[in-house]
Amino acid sequence: MAPERIDLLEDELLSLRAAYAASLPARLITIEDCWQRLKGSTANSEIATELGTELHQLAGSAGSFGMAELGEAAARAEQLLGDADNFDDRGFRQDFDTACSEIEALIRSA
């Protein structure tokens, strides 16, 4: 492949990564909103499903854009959510808060 074509592809990839990184704050707001609604809800299976979907999508997409650590953090949060028997459990809430804080820190540093 010609060097000019490689440069063009690299520029396009950088542009895609930048657009993805720019979308992350909105995704964080959605995740945090779902988590707050889940903590305050008694009928929470729909909210948990929405939160799980957001985390799953973040876990899957982050690695594709060179943000493997973010993807791993989202996957850990998704696993915590999936393993939870009781969303009101204090230990679960502390662990999930920690996971969300890690995701937030990684997004803010992206």
Side-chain angles (χ1 to χ4, degrees):
M1 187 176 291
E4 300 83 25
R5 180 76 176 135
I6 292 172
D7 289 344
L8 180 61
L9 289 174
E10 287 175 352
D11 288 346
E12 288 176 19
L13 287 173
L14 286 173
S15 177
L16 287 172
R17 187 181 190 285
Y20 180 77
S23 76
L24 292 175
R27 296 183 86 165
L28 177 62
I29 289 169
T30 301
I31 289 168
E32 289 175 339
D33 176 63
C34 286
W35 177 224
Q36 292 307 313
R37 287 186 295 130
L38 183 61
K39 288 195 287 189
S41 174
T42 54
N44 49 28
S45 65
E46 258 185 51
I47 300 166
T49 299
E50 182 182 353
L51 179 54
T53 298
E54 289 294 328
L55 291 167
H56 182 79
Q57 290 174 351
L58 182 59
S61 62
S64 298
F65 291 95
M67 301 176 188
E69 194 175 1
L70 174 59
E72 291 165 6
R76 283 191 298 276
E78 180 188 11
Q79 186 68 46
L80 279 170
L81 186 67
D83 289 347
D85 293 328
N86 180 358
F87 300 124
D88 293 326
D89 177 75
R90 184 177 179 170
F92 165 75
R93 286 180 178 230
Q94 288 175 337
D95 290 345
F96 202 81
D97 278 337
T98 300
C100 286
S101 293
E102 180 182 6
I103 291 168
E104 179 180 4
L106 290 165
I107 286 175
R108 297 211 186 280
S109 70

